[in-house]
């Protein structure tokens, strides 16, 4: 909670509406009701003490691995500001898939994290560092964007690149390239 409070304070200081709630310390004895209750408590702390809304992240390497699991925790938190942060990369490598995205209401999403996954790698070997620019990998990004639009989602798409190879390049060039490639996939999607 100490680290989470500091994250909320920093997000508040720079005017963020949302802050990531990362359930990486849940442990092996995962209890859905307990996690939902804790998330609800985080929402109350974030909103009442820092003026930010914690949004739940799902990550293949943590107990909440899929879009469906994160949505269930958010729904069971039973709070009007409960949100999740989908990430196309983790939707893919967690094997949760993309088909259920269009069945959700876009108001459930705080931010939509965007990137691509490389071809020629086993899913079991993929880590955050393997993310690539949109359009440079194997994800069906135009289909995902069309499904996202069907949900009514109208917030930002956040380019998420943790690829250390990109960190060795000029960061402004990486940002420009990321923007250009993101816009190309949006154009292909026709959204």
């Amino acid at each position: 909670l100490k680290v989470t409070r500091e994250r909320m304070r920093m997000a508040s200081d720079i005017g963020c509406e949302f802050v990531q709630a990362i359930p990486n310390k849940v442990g092996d004895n995962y209890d859905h009701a307990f996690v939902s209750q804790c998330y609800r408590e985080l929402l109350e702390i974030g909103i009442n003490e820092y003026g930010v809304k914690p949004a739940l992240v799902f990550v293949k390497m943590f107990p909440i691995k899929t879009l469906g699991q994160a949505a269930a925790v958010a729904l069971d938190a039973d709070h009007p500001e409960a949100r999740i942060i989908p990430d196309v990369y983790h939707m893919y490598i967690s094997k949760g898939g993309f088909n259920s995205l269009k069945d959700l209401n876009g108001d459930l999403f705080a931010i939509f994290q965007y990137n691509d996954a490389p071809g020629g790698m086993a899913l079991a070997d993929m880590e955050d560092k393997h993310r690539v620019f949109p359009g440079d990998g194997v994800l069906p990004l135009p289909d995902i964007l069309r499904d996202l639009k069907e949900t009514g989602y109208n917030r930002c798409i956040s380019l998420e690149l943790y690829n250390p190879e990109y960190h060795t390049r000029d960061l402004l060039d990486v940002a420009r390239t990321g923007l250009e490639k993101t816009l190309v996939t949006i154009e292909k999607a026709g959204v």
Side-chain angles (χ1 to χ4, degrees):
L1 189 56
K2 181 179 179 183
V3 172
T4 300
R5 281 181 177 276
E6 181 63 10
R7 184 178 292 117
M8 288 191 272
R9 183 202 59 76
M10 289 187 298
S12 179
D13 285 352
I14 61 171
C16 292
E17 179 180 3
F18 297 103
V19 64
Q20 291 186 341
I22 306 169
N24 57 343
K25 302 289 185 186
V26 173
D28 295 329
N29 297 320
Y30 178 81
D31 179 328
H32 176 82
F34 174 73
V35 172
S36 295
Q37 175 190 341
C38 289
Y39 176 50
R40 182 180 177 83
E41 290 172 13
L42 278 180
L43 282 162
E44 292 296 329
I45 292 168
I47 292 166
N48 295 326
E49 296 179 28
Y50 299 95
V52 296
K53 301 170 192 169
L56 194 61
V57 175
F58 58 94
V59 178
K60 174 191 167 187
M61 293 70 96
F62 298 155
I64 299 175
K65 300 176 183 323
T66 66
L67 175 68
Q69 291 169 332
V73 169
L75 292 172
D76 288 346
D78 194 29
H79 192 287
E81 297 298 336
R83 301 284 185 279
I84 63 175
I85 300 177
D87 182 319
V88 294
Y89 188 77
H90 283 287
M91 291 169 75
Y92 179 65
I93 68 172
S94 70
K95 299 180 185 176
F98 307 106
N99 290 319
S100 62
L101 177 66
K102 64 182 172 290
D103 297 327
L104 297 172
N105 184 314
D107 289 340
L108 183 61
F109 311 142
I111 298 165
F112 194 81
Q113 294 180 336
Y114 200 64
N115 42 63
D116 212 332
M121 281 188 77
L123 285 178
D125 296 334
M126 288 189 187
E127 300 175 24
D128 279 336
K129 67 182 181 181
H130 297 115
R131 298 169 191 238
V132 295
F133 288 115
D136 287 358
V138 297
L139 299 185
L141 296 176
D143 293 335
I144 293 167
L145 290 173
R146 283 189 287 274
D147 289 347
L148 181 64
K149 183 173 180 160
E150 271 189 46
T151 71
Y153 178 75
N154 64 357
R155 293 190 178 101
C156 76
I157 293 176
S158 171
L159 183 62
E160 297 284 325
L161 299 171
Y162 300 108
N163 191 318
E165 185 269 315
Y166 297 162
H167 300 171
T168 65
R169 296 170 41 186
D170 176 73
L171 295 183
L172 186 55
D173 179 56
V174 171
R176 278 191 195 111
T177 301
L179 176 60
E180 289 168 5
K181 289 179 177 277
T182 297
L183 292 174
V184 166
T185 61
I186 290 171
E187 186 176 317
K188 284 182 182 177
V191 296

